[in-house]
Amino acid sequence: MRLRSVTHDRLTLEERPWFLGSLLIAVIVFLLALALLFVPVSIWATLAFGAGAALFGVAFVLVVRRTVVILDRTANAVVIREASLLGTSERRIALTQVIAAEVETVTNAASPGPSRRASVSTRPVL
């Protein structure tokens, strides 16, 4: 999540999964290209690649969503908005119900290979 705006009375966080969405679209296009290449060769290969593209398309629709979290002191509310291809939703929580807000950090083990870097993931938690 990224900070979108910070004022004395309002904090806005936003997450847009650009990498995941782009990766899924690239896989879908690749599978569709393979399906078109295999049309003259084998109908079964064409159907298999087409089905794979359809499954990744379903994953794209279900997984890729934009999330905006607004902590608003003047409205005394936390607003969580999510938007995807299936539509938008909004949840409101009274700011008095929030006990704490912090940033959770998870460090994954170093990956094998020459870089040997550990990956760090962070997310806001209410």
Side-chain angles (χ1 to χ4, degrees), residues 5-54:
S5 67
V6 179
T7 64
H8 179 68
D9 292 330
R10 190 174 190 159
L11 171 68
T12 305
L13 304 168
E14 181 177 31
E15 179 182 29
R16 292 184 180 198
W18 290 108
F19 179 73
L20 178 62
S22 300
L23 181 67
L24 287 173
I25 288 173
V27 170
I28 292 167
V29 169
F30 177 71
L31 289 174
L32 287 175
L34 285 176
L36 289 175
L37 284 174
F38 276 90
V39 167
V41 177
S42 169
I43 188 67
W44 296 110
T46 301
L47 290 175
F49 287 125

Side-chain angles (χ1 to χ4, degrees), residues 39-114:
V39 167
V41 177
S42 169
I43 188 67
W44 296 110
T46 301
L47 290 175
F49 287 125
L55 287 175
F56 277 99
V58 169
F60 180 85
V61 169
L62 294 177
V63 173
V64 176
R65 62 185 60 232
R66 188 186 87 164
T67 305
V68 176
V69 178
I70 303 168
L71 289 94
D72 193 349
R73 184 182 299 176
T74 57
N76 194 27
V78 177
V79 180
I80 302 170
R81 294 183 185 140
E82 291 183 332
S84 70
L85 291 176
L86 298 176
T88 60
S89 66
E90 180 174 301
R91 290 181 284 166
R92 287 186 171 271
I93 303 168
L95 201 53
T96 56
Q97 291 181 332
V98 177
I99 298 169
E102 58 187 41
V103 176
E104 180 180 78
T105 303
V106 177
T107 303
N108 298 323
S111 60

